[in-house]
PDB file of all heavy atoms in Angstrom:
ATOM      1  N   ILE A 632     112.301 168.128  35.855  1.00  0.00           N
ATOM      2  CA  ILE A 632     112.291 166.762  36.374  1.00  0.00           C
ATOM      3  C   ILE A 632     111.086 166.604  37.292  1.00  0.00           C
ATOM      4  O   ILE A 632     110.517 167.585  37.768  1.00  0.00           O
ATOM      5  CB  ILE A 632     113.581 166.417  37.154  1.00  0.00           C
ATOM      6  CG1 ILE A 632     113.690 167.294  38.410  1.00  0.00           C
ATOM      7  CG2 ILE A 632     114.809 166.548  36.281  1.00  0.00           C
ATOM      8  CD1 ILE A 632     114.808 166.865  39.345  1.00  0.00           C
ATOM      9  N   ALA A 633     110.677 165.364  37.516  1.00  0.00           N
ATOM     10  CA  ALA A 633     109.627 165.098  38.496  1.00  0.00           C
ATOM     11  C   ALA A 633     110.191 165.288  39.901  1.00  0.00           C
ATOM     12  O   ALA A 633     111.363 165.010  40.153  1.00  0.00           O
ATOM     13  CB  ALA A 633     109.100 163.676  38.328  1.00  0.00           C
ATOM     14  N   SER A 634     109.355 165.777  40.805  1.00  0.00           N
ATOM     15  CA  SER A 634     109.819 166.002  42.173  1.00  0.00           C
ATOM     16  C   SER A 634     110.128 164.667  42.852  1.00  0.00           C
ATOM     17  O   SER A 634     109.283 163.768  42.880  1.00  0.00           O
ATOM     18  CB  SER A 634     108.754 166.742  42.981  1.00  0.00           C
ATOM     19  OG  SER A 634     109.128 166.805  44.345  1.00  0.00           O
ATOM     20  N   PRO A 635     111.333 164.520  43.437  1.00  0.00           N
ATOM     21  CA  PRO A 635     111.671 163.277  44.134  1.00  0.00           C
ATOM     22  C   PRO A 635     111.216 163.261  45.592  1.00  0.00           C
ATOM     23  O   PRO A 635     111.365 162.251  46.272  1.00  0.00           O
ATOM     24  CB  PRO A 635     113.198 163.258  44.060  1.00  0.00           C
ATOM     25  CG  PRO A 635     113.579 164.706  44.106  1.00  0.00           C
ATOM     26  CD  PRO A 635     112.483 165.455  43.376  1.00  0.00           C
ATOM     27  N   MET A 636     110.651 164.380  46.086  1.00  0.00           N
ATOM     28  CA  MET A 636     110.373 164.492  47.508  1.00  0.00           C
ATOM     29  C   MET A 636     109.310 163.514  48.020  1.00  0.00           C
ATOM     30  O   MET A 636     109.442 162.993  49.138  1.00  0.00           O
ATOM     31  CB  MET A 636     109.985 165.931  47.851  1.00  0.00           C
ATOM     32  CG  MET A 636     111.103 166.938  47.569  1.00  0.00           C
ATOM     33  SD  MET A 636     112.690 166.438  48.278  1.00  0.00           S
ATOM     34  CE  MET A 636     112.314 166.582  50.020  1.00  0.00           C
ATOM     35  N   PRO A 637     108.212 163.225  47.277  1.00  0.00           N
ATOM     36  CA  PRO A 637     107.286 162.210  47.790  1.00  0.00           C
ATOM     37  C   PRO A 637     107.962 160.871  48.056  1.00  0.00           C
ATOM     38  O   PRO A 637     107.701 160.225  49.082  1.00  0.00           O
ATOM     39  CB  PRO A 637     106.238 162.101  46.678  1.00  0.00           C
ATOM     40  CG  PRO A 637     106.247 163.448  46.040  1.00  0.00           C
ATOM     41  CD  PRO A 637     107.693 163.882  46.064  1.00  0.00           C
ATOM     42  N   LEU A 638     108.847 160.450  47.152  1.00  0.00           N
ATOM     43  CA  LEU A 638     109.585 159.200  47.368  1.00  0.00           C
ATOM     44  C   LEU A 638     110.416 159.284  48.631  1.00  0.00           C
ATOM     45  O   LEU A 638     110.465 158.337  49.432  1.00  0.00           O
ATOM     46  CB  LEU A 638     110.479 158.906  46.164  1.00  0.00           C
ATOM     47  CG  LEU A 638     111.435 157.717  46.306  1.00  0.00           C
ATOM     48  CD1 LEU A 638     110.662 156.426  46.539  1.00  0.00           C
ATOM     49  CD2 LEU A 638     112.341 157.598  45.088  1.00  0.00           C
ATOM     50  N   LEU A 683     118.841 163.705  43.006  1.00  0.00           N
ATOM     51  CA  LEU A 683     117.882 164.418  42.167  1.00  0.00           C
ATOM     52  C   LEU A 683     117.579 165.808  42.724  1.00  0.00           C
ATOM     53  O   LEU A 683     117.404 166.766  41.969  1.00  0.00           O
ATOM     54  CB  LEU A 683     116.596 163.601  42.046  1.00  0.00           C
ATOM     55  CG  LEU A 683     116.717 162.290  41.270  1.00  0.00           C
ATOM     56  CD1 LEU A 683     115.415 161.515  41.338  1.00  0.00           C
ATOM     57  CD2 LEU A 683     117.109 162.552  39.816  1.00  0.00           C
ATOM     58  N   LEU A 792     102.349 166.243  48.809  1.00  0.00           N
ATOM     59  CA  LEU A 792     103.225 166.679  47.724  1.00  0.00           C
ATOM     60  C   LEU A 792     102.894 165.955  46.421  1.00  0.00           C
ATOM     61  O   LEU A 792     102.958 166.535  45.332  1.00  0.00           O
ATOM     62  CB  LEU A 792     104.688 166.440  48.102  1.00  0.00           C
ATOM     63  CG  LEU A 792     105.263 167.343  49.189  1.00  0.00           C
ATOM     64  CD1 LEU A 792     106.669 166.890  49.572  1.00  0.00           C
ATOM     65  CD2 LEU A 792     105.281 168.796  48.732  1.00  0.00           C
ATOM     66  N   ASP A 796     101.617 167.705  42.962  1.00  0.00           N
ATOM     67  CA  ASP A 796     102.324 167.535  41.694  1.00  0.00           C
ATOM     68  C   ASP A 796     101.388 167.013  40.605  1.00  0.00           C
ATOM     69  O   ASP A 796     101.484 167.421  39.441  1.00  0.00           O
ATOM     70  CB  ASP A 796     103.497 166.576  41.892  1.00  0.00           C
ATOM     71  CG  ASP A 796     104.464 166.609  40.727  1.00  0.00           C
ATOM     72  OD1 ASP A 796     105.104 167.653  40.521  1.00  0.00           O
ATOM     73  OD2 ASP A 796     104.575 165.590  40.013  1.00  0.00           O
TER      74      ASP A 796
END
Side-chain angles (χ1 to χ4, degrees):
I632 64 171
S634 172
M636 298 310 293
L638 173 61
L683 293 175
L792 289 174
D796 194 66

